[in-house]
Amino acid sequence: MCDRTGLDEETPLLDKGPTSAASKISNSRLFLAVFSAVLGNFSFGYSLVYPSSVLPQLQAASTNPRLRMGTEEAAWFGSIYALGAVAGGLGAMLLNDVIGRKLSIMMSALPSSIGYMLLGGAVDRWMLNVGRFLTGVAGGMTSASIPVYISEISHPTVRGALGSCPQITAVFGALALYALGLVLPWRWLAVAGGVPAVLMVMLLALMPCSPRRLLSLGRQQQAESALCWLRGKKYDTTGELCAIQHSINMQGKVTWSELTMPVYYRPIIISVLMRFLQQMTGITPILVYLEPILSKSKVSLEAKYDAVIVGVVRLFSVAVAASLMDKAGRKALLYTSSLLMFLSSLTMTMYSHTTTCPLPPSPHNLTELTLDYSPHNATGPAPDYGLYNAMGIASDTIHHNATSFIPLVSTMVFIFGYALGWGPITWLLMSEVLPLVARGVASGLCVAVSWLTAFTLIITFTHLVDRYGLYVPFLWFTVVCVLCLLFTAVCVPETRGRSLEEIENYFRTGRTFTINLGAAAEHH
């Protein structure tokens, strides 16, 4: 069935020439399967920003004392999600290879549902924290499993656009939380958060497993049926099934000693470093502390609308990235993304370093950076953001200074640049370059590294701003963006239009995407 020994080194593994009517691909069912899976990312985006609308209500004086949160409790309520995501990522390392990608995604609905039940019915702060931790576990599981599932059921023509769907739907989830937070109390926000996970399980139960997963288990007939369902009845699955089977045969079982081979360690290192650099650009602390950063610019809008603006910018940029992914290529978007983040970080560095400010009148004003979620339009004196005091900026000076909108514009450009490239493409490349035999474990490792880095960076950012102001952390983000440019140029391969098998062959040979299945054919 799969005898293709006539191929040489210059012959692509998958024929990219004109296809007959019998081999025409229909994407409708593929899109349905992807939609079913990325509902988990919608839930992830929703749960990640859940504190932004909930904390103002939990910090109100009228809140039950057993639930009311001060600064320290609010900080833990926001950050414990990252620890849960680490646990979820590590759990996905095992589940992806034991029960498969599809079932791993469906399993994430269990901690998500329990977490939202605890949040919605909380009578004490420990229930809130445990609920946040469990929703973080679900977020880590979906982050590790969904990109892999999408890459394995997609074909090269649409994999770039579909690979951006996890990021897009996560942004949609965040926007949904911001919008619902304007009209719903925090308990009903938790109830609404549980709906996408339930819908995801109902739809995914009707979707096929990954054909690559089925072939790796020796279930060839089921794999053929799954691929036929995904590609349409007019598609000839023989060639693609042979390509997948060849990739599986070439890999076999990996051992610790074999991890020293370039075909394994190179894509794993690239994926881990990309997730590490993605967080080190500073995107997480910028989003977490967005309100105090924007507030020093005296933005006329209320604080609750600032996050909506950010969400719209993120959504627009990831939509642009999805449309350009298979046209401009992954590396071109990564270059553009790194450059935009570099320019905005450099601008913030120069602004925070050169702005002349009077010294604070007393040591009491030098407070640490705190997560103050009080709305701008609250009665009484304006909130005392520690960010102002850490930089020593007088609010009157900022209000009348024509340059006070520089931080706002720079932050918008930074978020646009991140969502254009390093946001969605890091997810996509992770699912494309990781070898099949280690894909489940390695993707879980990438997610765990990403969330541990985010958790550590949030804490470090707080202390750096308290001691040095914004100058030092944004200077560091500027340096990281330069490293992102260099890393993209030296280490990241261009995977646009390549099959997963051709990408694996690139790391195996270190020089070409095409595959030689039978060198003996040259002697015939």
Side-chain angles (χ1 to χ4, degrees):
M1 175 182 176
C2 296
D3 182 15
R4 300 177 56 164
T5 56
L7 293 180
D8 57 23
E9 185 67 26
E10 300 302 321
T11 303
L13 180 61
L14 297 180
D15 183 12
K16 296 180 176 61
T19 59
S20 63
S23 297
K24 185 177 180 180
I25 296 178
S26 175
N27 290 321
S28 57
R29 290 182 174 179
L30 172 62
F31 294 160
L32 177 61
V34 171
F35 172 78
S36 304
V38 297
L39 284 173
N41 289 105
F42 183 94
S43 182
F44 160 70
Y46 187 98
S47 60
L48 177 63
V49 300
Y50 183 75
S52 65
S53 296
V54 172
L55 278 175
Q57 302 177 51
L58 293 178
Q59 290 181 316
S62 59
T63 303
N64 186 331
R66 297 177 63 184
L67 296 173
R68 189 184 306 135
M69 292 187 177
T71 300
E72 186 69 21
E73 293 83 2
W76 271 104
F77 183 70
S79 61
I80 200 172
Y81 183 93
L83 296 181
V86 173
L90 294 175
M93 292 172 59
L94 301 176
L95 291 177
N96 277 345
D97 290 330
V98 173
I99 65 176
R101 288 68 159 134
K102 172 187 163 182
L103 290 180
S104 296
I105 299 171
M106 297 175 67
M107 282 287 293
S108 68
L110 181 61
S112 177
S113 300
I114 296 176
Y116 279 120
M117 288 173 60
L118 288 172
L119 289 169
V123 295
D124 207 315
R125 279 191 296 269
W126 71 265
M127 298 179 68
L128 295 172
N129 288 331
V130 173
R132 277 288 289 169
F133 179 85
L134 289 176
T135 55
V137 171
M141 293 174 66
T142 56
S143 298
S145 302
I146 293 177
V148 178
Y149 178 73
I150 292 177
S151 71
E152 291 186 353
I153 66 175
S154 303
H155 53 88
T157 306
V158 297
R159 193 190 309 119
L162 295 182
S164 300
C165 288
Q167 184 77 4
I168 294 175
T169 50
V171 174
F172 263 118
L175 277 175
L177 185 282
Y178 297 145
L180 292 175
L182 299 177
V183 295
L184 292 180
W186 63 273
R187 291 188 186 274
W188 282 102
L189 285 177
V191 174
V195 174
V198 175
L199 183 59
M200 175 193 70
V201 172
M202 295 173 60
L203 290 177
L204 269 182
L206 305 176
M207 300 299 115
C209 294
S210 161
R212 293 173 64 87
R213 165 73 179 173
L214 293 172
L215 277 181
S216 68
L217 297 176
R219 303 174 184 174
Q220 183 170 334
Q221 186 174 358
Q222 296 181 29
E224 184 175 357
S225 299
L227 192 60
C228 184
W229 190 93
L230 290 166
R231 302 289 187 263
K233 295 181 179 180
K234 295 183 178 181
Y235 178 72
D236 183 5
T237 62
T238 304
E240 187 170 352
L241 286 173
C242 288
I244 298 173
Q245 187 64 59
H246 171 75
S247 173
I248 296 173
N249 293 339
M250 291 292 292
Q251 288 181 326
K253 292 289 184 179
V254 66
T255 63
W256 285 107
S257 60
E258 290 175 333
L259 288 177
T260 60
M261 300 171 59
V263 67
Y264 296 120
Y265 75 77
R266 285 184 61 196
I268 292 176
I269 290 177
I270 288 175
S271 299
V272 171
L273 286 180
M274 285 196 73
R275 295 305 291 259
F276 176 76
L277 288 174
Q278 179 193 50
Q279 291 295 339
M280 293 302 290
T281 58
I283 183 63
T284 302
I286 287 176
L287 291 177
V288 169
Y289 302 123
L290 184 63
E291 183 178 337
I293 291 176
L294 295 178
S295 295
K296 63 183 175 61
S297 298
K298 294 295 181 182
V299 181
S300 58
L301 290 175
E302 299 179 33
K304 61 183 180 180
Y305 295 113
D306 292 342
V308 177
I309 295 176
V310 173
V312 171
V313 171
R314 292 174 64 197
L315 180 60
F316 172 74
S317 53
V318 295
V320 171
S323 63
L324 296 178
M325 197 77 69
D326 289 316
K327 298 178 182 178
R330 281 65 155 155
K331 296 190 71 169
L333 290 177
L334 287 174
Y335 284 135
T336 304
S337 175
S338 301
L339 182 61
L340 289 175
M341 290 191 296
F342 166 76
L343 292 175
S344 57
S345 296
L346 181 62
T347 301
M348 283 294 293
T349 301
M350 297 173 63
Y351 177 85
S352 59
H353 183 60
T354 58
T355 303
T356 57
C357 312
L359 293 175
S362 67
H364 296 291
N365 287 334
L366 294 174
T367 59
E368 65 177 359
L369 177 65
T370 59
L371 291 173
D372 190 341
Y373 290 88
S374 303
H376 290 308
N377 61 344
T379 58
D384 181 17
Y385 289 105
L387 193 57
Y388 303 153
N389 302 323
M391 293 184 61
I393 298 177
S395 59
D396 291 340
T397 302
I398 295 178
H399 182 69
H400 294 95
N401 196 330
T403 63
S404 63
F405 285 96
I406 290 179
L408 172 62
V409 175
S410 298
T411 303
M412 293 296 103
V413 172
F414 185 93
I415 292 173
F416 176 85
Y418 170 83
L420 183 67
W422 276 89
I425 294 179
T426 303
W427 291 47
L428 173 61
L429 276 177
M430 180 189 76
S431 63
E432 286 185 325
V433 305
L434 290 176
L436 173 64
V437 70
R439 187 165 294 158
V441 173
S443 60
L445 175 63
C446 290
V447 172
V449 168
S450 176
W451 284 107
L452 280 175
T453 305
F455 180 78
T456 304
L457 193 61
I458 291 174
I459 298 176
T460 304
F461 183 86
T462 303
H463 294 294
L464 287 177
V465 172
D466 180 40
R467 172 169 286 189
Y468 304 107
L470 283 178
Y471 167 69
V472 171
F474 271 95
L475 177 61
W476 168 250
F477 299 155
T478 303
V479 174
V480 172
C481 290
V482 175
L483 295 178
C484 289
L485 278 169
L486 297 176
F487 182 82
T488 301
V490 176
C491 300
V492 178
E494 178 55 73
T495 59
R496 179 184 58 166
R498 300 294 183 179
S499 70
L500 298 182
E501 293 70 41
E502 290 170 331
I503 295 171
E504 289 178 5
N505 191 70
Y506 170 83
F507 290 108
R508 182 177 292 111
T509 63
R511 59 190 176 89
T512 179
F513 282 99
T514 54
I515 298 178
N516 183 5
L517 296 183
E522 298 179 359
H523 301 289
H524 292 172

